[in-house]
Amino acid sequence: PVVILCGGMGIRMGDERPKMLVEVGGRPILWHVMKIYAAQGFIHFILALGYRGDMIKRYFLDYGPLNHDFTLTLGAAPTIEYHDPHPEGGWRITFADTGLHTQTGARIRKVARYIESDTFFATYGDGVADIDLHALLAFHHRMGRVATLTGVRSFSRFGVLRTDGKGLVVGFEEKPLVDALINGGFFVFEREVLNYLGDSDDVVLEREPLQRLAAEGQLAIYEHHGFWRAMDTFKDAQEMNVIWRESAPWKMW
């Protein structure tokens, strides 16, 4: 199963929609994340909903009729017959309301009853990558730890000045690749991770839980050296749409 964190308000997007419904290439960024997993055989999704979760539910409830030719037979029990194979056929999606202000760690804890295996994936609903999920899972099993996160390198949001050390600027570098690993999401967890998530809605996964796991030697890192992008702002959305049109490196389907 794949737990996807979909509860953020997306304030920086300047949009009343949840950030996960902001479109890239005509589809919500959430759809792209799900397609990355589905293309590699992982089709049971648990969406941890929060802000405007109703809009995410409605998107998928309307997905079939709005994206396929169909015949509707009206009556006491209306039926719909679709005329084309459903490209997302077989997807199993659990929609779980986890609270408007609940933090990331608490959201995972709140969907625990829907996780039917000892090992599960988790990720953010706004980040994409050309990641080999089977290699990630194999790495997690080899390491034998409670948790594995994917480490990626990102581009700086700011340009960098090069100086001569004597008070003069000698060059500029526009948004260089940062030579340090950051948390790119794409986690693999053992069910034991739930013991690290406390009982408060304020538990932030990226703080005490991951820090404690690291301190106890239970947090592995899988280094991904390929493409990775996250959508935090409207400008990010614009850039991801350009990348989609030009190359779509995360498109595995």
Side-chain angles (χ1 to χ4, degrees), residues 176-199:
L177 187 66
V178 178
D179 188 23
L181 291 172
I182 65 170
N183 171 18
F186 295 97
F187 302 95
V188 187
F189 292 134
E190 294 302 310
R191 195 172 190 85
E192 206 179 325
V193 78
L194 299 173
N195 297 330
Y196 292 78
L197 301 181
D199 56 7

Side-chain angles (χ1 to χ4, degrees), residues 35-51:
K35 289 287 280 188
I36 291 169
Y37 281 92
Q40 299 180 64
F42 305 103
I43 58 175
H44 175 199
F45 301 100
I46 302 168
L47 306 187
L49 306 176
Y51 174 72

Side-chain angles (χ1 to χ4, degrees), residues 99-119:
L100 181 59
H101 300 293
T102 307
Q103 296 295 333
T104 48
R107 291 192 192 280
I108 293 175
R109 187 189 70 246
K110 287 188 172 188
V111 303
R113 58 179 170 159
Y114 303 117
I115 299 171
E116 300 170 344
S117 63
D118 291 332
T119 305

Side-chain angles (χ1 to χ4, degrees), residues 74-87:
L74 296 176
T79 61
I80 294 179
E81 176 190 355
Y82 293 106
H83 299 293
D84 302 299
H86 199 304

Side-chain angles (χ1 to χ4, degrees), residues 24-25 235-250:
V24 174
K235 184 177 181 181
D236 290 336
Q238 291 179 308
E239 292 177 351
M240 289 176 76
N241 271 285
V242 172
I243 295 170
W244 175 259
R245 290 193 298 270
E246 293 179 349
S247 59
W250 65 89

Side-chain angles (χ1 to χ4, degrees), residues 119-151:
T119 305
F120 63 97
F121 288 109
T123 196
Y124 306 108
D126 58 2
V128 295
D130 58 351
I131 186 169
D132 183 336
L133 295 168
H134 291 281
L136 167 61
L137 187 59
F139 173 85
H140 172 77
H141 287 312
R142 284 199 307 274
M143 294 301 292
R145 299 303 194 267
V146 172
T148 298
L149 64 76
T150 296

